Amino acid sequence: MAAALSPGRALVAAGALLAGLGLFVRLRWDGLSHPRGVAGLVDLGWLAHAPAQVALAVLLVVALAAFVRWGGAAAALLAGGVLLLSAWLHAWQWPPGSGVDNGVTLPAATLLAWGVGAFLADPLQARRAGREAACGVVAAAYLLAVASKLHGSGPGWASGQNLALHIAIHDAGGWLSPLRQWVVDSPRVTGLLGVGTLLIEGAAPLFLWERCRRPWAVLAVGLHVGISLLMGLHHYDWLLVVLGLASRPPAAGGLSADR
Amino acid sequence: MRGPSGAALTAFLVYLLLVAATGNLPLLRFPIFQFARPQGPTAAPWFAADGQPADIEDFERFVGVGPGDVDSERQGFQSSVQHKFDEQARWLGDHAGTEAGPVRVQVGLRILDLGPDGRVRERVRVDGEGTAWPRR
């Protein structure tokens, strides 16, 4: 029968909600003075206006509530779809090729994977299959992060100098600036942080194994807290998704419905 | 230890294949995690209020300084924060004013590179000056 409220799904939903609400706030704050359509073919500028955004936000909240309660494919796909649409709407407002704060990636991708996994699986295994598919996406996303670093910079990415430079670039003042400046001026610290980052992200495929999810999630907490403190890049939505998916203890044996 | 489930492994491989096929992460438009090692001086946008570094989004009704003062092209400098230049230019364009404000503001570039001792050096280049009003 339907499981009770799942703490794991609640954490994943909280991450998705954080990402979605942040996106909606950003859409309203920026004013969206340059609405554009998809490849110039379809004018989706009407989505930039308040009523449409309110409707999207309500739809997201309803879908996430249903996801937390039942964990079904429909709720996961709907929530992931709303995040995806909102992310594209946000991205369309900026010049092509420019960087866009698109942190909904992991929450949206995991929800979509959850939905597809649950939809394709045997009904008795739907929730577990959805959760497992979401874990696969998490492992891939973090592995791609380290691959991107090494592809762009080689092993030299982990040099203390590189990370020092990037921390300095992102240090725009504030109460954390003294800490950041101390780290920037400490080559050994930045070297350790660089190597640590590559090791943690490189170990992400361990998330495919149930028994490894909690230990790796602990490392991910350290990674994201460090990034937040030193670079002001806040991906708590990603962190909540990782914690939510890692929250379920490894199964004792055999297949069982997700809780 | 039991191996990965079929669903997890399938999703993992499908996601990686999508990247291989599209050349980028699905749902992203730029290498968000790359933080590529700069090959020369690198630039980030600079904003100051009354001579002190400040957050541009704490100010509005800019006079004397506008999007044209933001050196988004940053000739001769790399940048891993191009979006910040775009955001700064857009903020200035969307919050132009007509009446001079009480705060003296500056926009420009923070230029960072590595010195002979391997440590980060920073200098500021001011590209535009004007006034603004604090946001309430």
Side-chain angles (χ1 to χ4, degrees):
Chain A
M1 300 302 292
L5 291 178
S6 163
R9 290 202 300 271
L11 282 171
V12 172
L17 185 63
L18 192 64
L21 292 181
L23 197 59
F24 294 143
V25 168
R26 188 63 190 264
L27 286 170
R28 295 307 306 156
W29 192 257
D30 285 350
L32 283 170
S33 57
H34 310 290
R36 300 206 313 264
V38 180
L41 298 176
V42 178
D43 181 11
L44 292 176
W46 57 272
L47 279 172
H49 299 294
Q53 289 176 38
V54 169
L56 279 177
V58 169
L59 200 57
L60 176 65
V61 171
V62 169
L64 289 176
F67 172 74
V68 173
R69 180 62 182 86
W70 291 289
L77 288 172
L78 181 59
V82 170
L83 284 178
L84 177 61
L85 178 62
S86 303
W88 279 343
L89 179 63
H90 189 269
W92 290 328
Q93 310 310 311
W94 297 93
S98 70
V100 175
D101 181 13
N102 221 344
V104 296
T105 302
L106 193 66
T110 51
L111 284 170
L112 291 173
W114 187 303
V116 171
F119 179 75
L120 294 176
D122 181 274
L124 288 178
Q125 299 301 323
R127 276 197 295 271
R128 183 173 186 275
R131 187 189 190 102
E132 289 295 309
C135 289
V137 165
V138 166
Y142 281 90
L143 182 65
L144 289 168
V146 70
S148 176
K149 293 177 174 68
L150 292 174
H151 177 74
S153 307
W157 188 94
S159 76
Q161 295 172 347
N162 183 50
L163 205 55
L165 205 51
H166 283 291
I167 292 172
I169 287 169
H170 286 83
D171 181 22
W175 65 280
L176 284 168
S177 190
L179 170 65
R180 293 168 181 171
Q181 285 303 313
W182 176 80
V183 172
V184 166
D185 292 333
S186 307
R188 288 184 181 175
V189 174
T190 50
L192 282 172
L193 292 175
V195 172
T197 297
L198 294 183
L199 289 176
I200 293 172
E201 291 181 348
L206 292 174
F207 209 70
L208 297 173
W209 281 265
E210 274 195 273
R211 290 195 175 277
C212 297
R213 285 172 190 161
R214 283 186 170 182
W216 189 83
V218 170
L219 295 177
V221 169
L223 176 67
H224 283 292
V225 168
I227 291 171
S228 177
L229 287 174
L230 296 179
M231 300 182 75
L233 301 174
H234 309 291
H235 292 297
Y236 304 126
D237 50 343
W238 285 60
L239 191 54
L240 286 169
V241 167
V242 169
L243 291 175
L245 293 174
S247 66
R248 177 172 181 258
L255 299 175
S256 60
D258 176 67
R259 287 195 163 275
Chain B
M1 183 168 67
R2 193 169 60 176
S5 67
L9 203 52
T10 300
F12 176 75
L13 293 174
V14 166
Y15 201 76
L16 292 180
L17 283 173
L18 283 173
V19 172
T22 66
N24 207 339
L25 293 172
L27 304 179
L28 277 177
R29 292 179 60 187
F30 73 108
I32 191 172
F33 303 121
Q34 197 167 55
F35 296 111
R37 189 175 185 186
Q39 298 304 313
T42 186
W46 159 263
F47 178 80
D50 288 336
Q52 297 299 314
D55 187 344
I56 194 172
E57 296 186 4
D58 289 337
F59 299 89
E60 60 183 359
R61 291 188 277 162
F62 295 92
V63 173
V65 63
D69 294 304
V70 177
D71 186 10
S72 297
E73 300 296 322
R74 29 174 191 80
Q75 295 287 344
F77 305 116
Q78 308 165 71
S79 181
S80 60
V81 289
Q82 175 63 41
H83 61 286
K84 289 185 180 290
F85 286 99
D86 297 330
E87 289 169 1
Q88 187 178 67
R90 184 162 179 178
W91 187 267
L92 288 169
D94 289 349
H95 295 84
T98 54
E99 182 184 351
V103 180
R104 181 176 60 89
V105 296
Q106 297 172 313
V107 296
L109 295 183
R110 292 171 62 217
I111 300 166
L112 301 103
D113 64 357
L114 295 170
D117 58 355
R119 293 183 185 268
V120 177
R121 300 183 303 188
E122 178 177 336
R123 62 183 175 91
V124 171
R125 189 189 80 191
V126 177
D127 294 329
E129 297 190 41
T131 66
W133 295 78
R135 299 188 75 191
R136 297 192 184 281

